[in-house]
Amino acid sequence: MKVIQYVLIAVYVLLLHVSYVSFISPNFSYLGYRIVEIDGVSLALTIVLIFIPLLYAKVAVTEPSGIFFWIIYIIVYIPVLLIPNYLYGSVPKTSWMTDIIILLCITMLYSIASWPILQIPAIYIKKSVARWMYIIITSGLFIYIISVAGIHLKPPVDSEDIYSTRLGFRQNTSPIVGYGMQWLAKIFDPILVIFGLLNRKVWFVLLGFFLQYLLFTTNGLKSTLMSTALLIMVFIALRMKGKYFSVLFVGGISLLLAVSVGWDYMTSTYEMTSLLARRMIFTPGLLMNYYVEFFSTHAQTKLSYSLLAGFFDNPYSVTPPFIIGDVYFNRPDMAANANLFADAFANFGYIGVLVYTSIAAIILWLYNSLAIGSHKSFAMLLLVMPVWSLADTSLTTVFLTHGLLLALIIVYILKCIGAMEESNFV
């Protein structure tokens, strides 16, 4: 199986290369997806760095932190390494430095699975109380969002409709609606899908998907619509207690890439590769490059626009995503949100990348410690959507807005329910 793991990563990288060279760069070079003559030595060194994590990464995944590692490795680490080869040919020193730092970070993240479990005291919570809490919160959020943003059954069908829907949502929303929309999309709706998958109740999966569809018609975010498919993919990869997780997970994503490339070749279009390879995979790598390039030569923000506003003055009038959107895309209204490493670099440079990763590691250590017992599979699947958000969102935003803190709370509640049931059994 280890050999298959290496082969699948090679296939994944090859499919990414074909997607970029054949479809993405020819059609989106105006957005920065350019390509120059690739330097063979730089590419060879990049491939070596891509495969280094496989020297220690096992095929199996037994802890929630393992899902974190594989999503970040596939969606963030690999494209971040590949992109400079297309942009510069000969990869610059700053990019190599970035690659080494991120390699150290994902190595730290992988090691969490071997850290000793924390002993966290549990309080007794009845399952019926937790169930009603879920029903009341989920229903309340949906009712409030519908009352403010309305309900739409017709989905946005093209790029213009999607961006119009997103803009309309932003203009007519409120902080409560914004938080509620993300919590529903990343946590509360996926709970229905996860429950249905684990208990083989198709109607719960369909209900979860339908609720995500309603959110998509309101916010226009494709990740909301695709979340159910992602959860099903991870659920399949976790079969047999995660024994073949990495092979099934990488194989699944590679299969999707192969289908998108094949479809676009046959139809002489580029929509499928644009959606999957460009938006979901290469864009985080491109933006990471822009963040490092800009904030290596300009003042870093030091969270002066949010948490540390009272300690540092913001050298800019906007946040890092809007800076990058203005400088590199000539769109001051564009929020070029990047991954957790890019945001960390924008705020504190390479030290920030290491510190942010350490904070993420502590959170994951706590999550692993809570996900002990019969609810472990549920906890592992519940982590998928918040972690996926880290591919294009900062750690602080994912923790509060995209449901990572909520996931921690819910897994703790499940631990408490399990403790009470064991107590009653005894």
Side-chain angles (χ1 to χ4, degrees):
M1 276 297 169
K2 190 67 178 177
V3 174
I4 296 177
Q5 185 186 63
Y6 277 89
V7 171
L8 286 174
I9 291 297
V11 170
Y12 174 72
V13 172
L14 178 60
L15 288 168
L16 287 180
H17 177 74
V18 172
S19 299
Y20 192 93
V21 173
S22 300
F23 299 101
I24 297 173
S25 182
N27 294 290
F28 298 98
S29 59
Y30 67 96
L31 290 177
Y33 300 93
R34 62 184 187 271
I35 186 169
V36 300
E37 184 177 352
I38 296 175
D39 178 71
V41 174
S42 291
L43 182 60
L45 289 174
T46 298
I47 298 299
V48 170
L49 286 176
I50 286 174
F51 278 91
I52 283 178
L54 299 186
L55 297 175
Y56 56 76
K58 297 179 181 178
V59 173
V61 164
T62 57
E63 302 296 334
S65 60
I67 290 180
F68 190 108
F69 167 82
W70 280 105
I71 291 178
I72 296 302
Y73 173 67
I74 292 294
I75 304 300
V76 177
Y77 179 74
I78 291 179
V80 165
L81 267 61
L82 284 175
I83 275 288
N85 291 274
Y86 303 120
L87 300 183
Y88 308 112
S90 180
V91 177
K93 291 181 180 179
T94 53
S95 295
W96 289 126
M97 181 66 178
T98 302
D99 296 346
I100 297 299
I101 293 295
I102 298 180
L103 174 59
L104 292 175
C105 289
I106 66 166
T107 302
M108 180 196 302
L109 292 171
Y110 184 81
S111 71
I112 301 167
S114 62
W115 294 8
I117 295 300
L118 296 169
Q119 299 301 316
I120 301 172
I123 58 177
Y124 290 159
I125 298 178
K126 291 183 178 181
K127 183 183 292 186
S128 59
V129 172
R131 184 185 297 116
W132 279 108
M133 285 174 57
Y134 170 78
I135 293 172
I136 291 170
I137 292 173
T138 304
S139 302
L141 287 175
F142 252 106
I143 292 170
Y144 180 74
I145 288 172
I146 290 172
S147 67
V148 174
I151 187 169
H152 313 276
L153 294 178
K154 182 181 178 181
V157 295
D158 54 33
S159 297
E160 186 176 343
D161 284 346
I162 288 173
Y163 288 124
S164 175
T165 300
R166 291 178 186 176
L167 180 61
F169 174 72
R170 290 174 184 172
Q171 291 176 341
N172 297 299
T173 191
S174 66
I176 296 177
V177 172
Y179 276 101
M181 185 74 76
Q182 291 292 348
W183 291 344
L184 285 170
K186 300 294 170 40
I187 296 295
F188 291 115
D189 290 353
I191 282 176
L192 292 171
V193 177
I194 294 167
F195 179 82
L197 291 172
L198 292 176
N199 294 278
R200 298 183 180 182
K201 297 182 181 295
V202 177
W203 287 110
F204 280 91
V205 176
L206 295 176
L207 176 61
F209 174 75
F210 176 69
L211 294 180
Q212 292 291 68
Y213 171 81
L214 290 180
L215 292 182
F216 170 68
T217 62
T218 301
N219 63 22
L221 297 176
K222 293 179 181 177
S223 60
T224 302
L225 191 62
M226 297 172 64
S227 63
T228 301
L230 176 62
L231 285 171
I232 292 173
M233 180 188 296
V234 175
F235 169 73
I236 293 172
L238 281 172
R239 300 304 297 270
M240 292 178 285
K241 298 182 178 180
K243 185 177 181 180
Y244 304 114
F245 179 87
S246 65
V247 168
L248 295 173
F249 180 67
V250 178
I253 293 181
S254 298
L255 179 60
L256 290 176
L257 277 174
V259 170
S260 68
V261 169
W263 175 265
D264 285 347
Y265 266 123
M266 290 187 296
T267 58
S268 298
T269 59
Y270 53 83
E271 281 81 5
M272 291 290 287
T273 47
S274 174
L275 174 62
L276 184 59
R278 183 179 71 87
R279 289 179 177 273
M280 298 180 64
I281 300 174
F282 273 116
T283 296
L286 180 70
L287 293 179
M288 178 75 189
N289 177 79
Y290 287 164
Y291 271 68
V292 172
E293 184 177 82
F294 182 85
F295 289 104
S296 292
T297 56
H298 296 76
Q300 292 157 2
T301 54
K302 297 181 173 61
L303 290 176
S304 56
Y305 52 87
S306 58
L307 297 178
L308 300 182
F311 298 92
F312 300 102
D313 294 325
N314 189 353
Y316 312 95
S317 60
V318 294
T319 58
F322 286 101
I323 297 170
I324 300 301
D326 185 13
V327 172
Y328 289 93
F329 299 96
N330 198 29
R331 290 182 55 185
D333 61 331
M334 176 183 178
N337 294 302
N339 57 68
L340 72 164
F341 301 126
D343 175 75
F345 189 90
N347 283 291
F348 299 104
Y350 289 121
I351 296 298
V353 175
L354 294 171
V355 171
Y356 275 42
T357 302
S358 299
I359 294 172
I362 293 171
I363 294 172
L364 286 172
W365 186 23
L366 176 61
Y367 198 95
N368 280 355
S369 300
L370 292 172
I372 298 296
S374 59
H375 63 284
K376 175 178 277 192
S377 295
F378 189 100
M380 294 174 82
L381 288 168
L382 189 63
L383 190 62
V384 170
M385 292 310 299
V387 172
W388 194 271
S389 298
L390 288 171
D392 59 7
T393 311
S394 68
L395 178 62
T396 52
T397 301
V398 169
F399 186 73
L400 295 174
T401 308
H402 289 213
L404 184 54
L405 176 59
L406 266 178
L408 277 167
I409 294 171
I410 290 170
V411 174
Y412 177 70
I413 291 173
L414 292 175
K415 173 184 173 65
C416 293
I417 292 173
M420 182 171 186
E421 290 179 345
E422 290 176 5
S423 176
N424 289 339
F425 179 78
V426 173

